[in-house]
Amino acid sequence: MDGSSTRRQRLALLTLCVTMFMSMLDNVIVNNALPRIGQDLDAGISGLQWVAEGYSLVYAALLLTGGAIGDRHGRTRVFRLGLALFTAGSAVAALAGTIGVLVGARMLQGVGAALLTPGSLTLLRHVFTDERERERAIATWSGVSALGLSVGPVVGGPMVEHLGWASVFWINVPIGAAGLLLAVRVLPDIPPRPRRIDLGGLPLSAAGLALLVYALIEGPSRGWTDARVLGCGAAAVVLLFAFLVLELRLAEPMLELRLFRDGALGGALLSGFVVSFGMFGALFFLPLLMQGVLGWSPAGAGYAGLPMTAMLVVAAPLSGRLTARFGPRPPLVLGLGLCAAGLGGLALYGDQARYPGYLWTLFAMGLGMGLTFTPVSIVVMTRVPPAQTGMASATVNTLRELGGVLGIAVLGALLTDRWSDSLTAALHRLGVPPDAAGRIADAPAGALHGGGAPAAEALPGPVRDAVDGAFVDGIHLAVLCGAAALAVTAVLVAVLLGRARPVARAGADGPRQPHPAEPVEAH
């Protein structure tokens, strides 16, 4: 290979890594900005959940459709369009003056990310034709994606403290513009192929997910027996069930459920979903705990995430080597176990916690997350026929994003319910009148985010302690439930990948042989 081709490959890899880093970063960089956003835009916990969920929900709902659009109109062309929309959405978010505009801008970012992400792994396949180079490129791409999730809080905290919350969105604009320029110059043009757009599956999945998340976020505040919450929950179940039935009947579905017949692939997809479920939930609420209860500044809370980032940097290449030598099962099971231990370990610490005491949990979660990303991508590339790579890649990213969406919503609902019950009981013991207790019940939104409730400093000492203690109780329940989900998944993945048959990978000398569970391509 000549020097110009090698340089073009490196620039293409840089472009794909930077854009994936940016789309992953945007899942979490906003978290340390949430208290300031709540103060400036007068939002409580549910409003701030929508700031985080608006991006992830649209991203998850449209990823599979984004893959189909890329097939039909050309992966490279759709990748560039997605990058342009993501950059525009970032600019609108930075300029937002109300919580509604900000959530809308986050949704536009989600549309862009859903269009650019599915083509990223497919473009890697076209750029790197040598199997060894391809696997190294995938390991780099996966590691950078994982790094984006971890470095977000580290970068976001100091930016919020010194430049304001809008800076976490402004940072995407020059990066997106540079990435778009590189995408035009160095990415290969992949010709479109005939592909039907699943016009039935798109509204069913998008509406079902939206209604489910709405019910989970609004349930704690409105009450689980509220007619609107019950109606949205029931409608979500019906729509999502109808979506699954439809996908099983279509010859060219948006979500290829038959991929789950392969035990290894099913285990990998499950791993990505549950890791995001636990980690996204933790990354959403931990900044609120650190800044609101433990008294950290935004920058301090950001820097506290450095150990997690360091472990991700270490784990990304390590997981690639472990997968190449032992297969995907050991790093996936070990990664899930470490995430479970780290997340569950947070329940050992309360409102008097000291950073050195719980530092080990951050190391464990960072190492665990880093170990899971690369094996999942390699399983997809080695067990899925080339014609289905884009769809499978979109499925992986959809399940990761959906895991994050449901992690924030489900763990948030558990936290809010436990916090409300604990706080009500504590205020009753303190003899606080019921009408005053109702106003104080908004204190976490106000104290942590400035959402219009009495500031924490204005509350009497015992009441403030009760507010903080109740919030910590809610955090403990949430992280224990997330840790339990991760631990159970580690066992399931060990079983699924232990039963899976090995698959010969494509090399320089010939194509990969399809697994018996996979459809054989017609040539």
Side-chain angles (χ1 to χ4, degrees), residues 306-323:
L306 281 171
M308 188 180 294
T309 302
M311 286 298 98
L312 271 167
V313 173
V314 170
L318 175 62
S319 64
R321 288 194 291 269
L322 287 174
T323 303

Side-chain angles (χ1 to χ4, degrees), residues 36 156-164 297-300:
R36 295 286 178 88
M159 290 179 63
V160 170
E161 185 162 334
H162 300 295
L163 301 173
S297 67

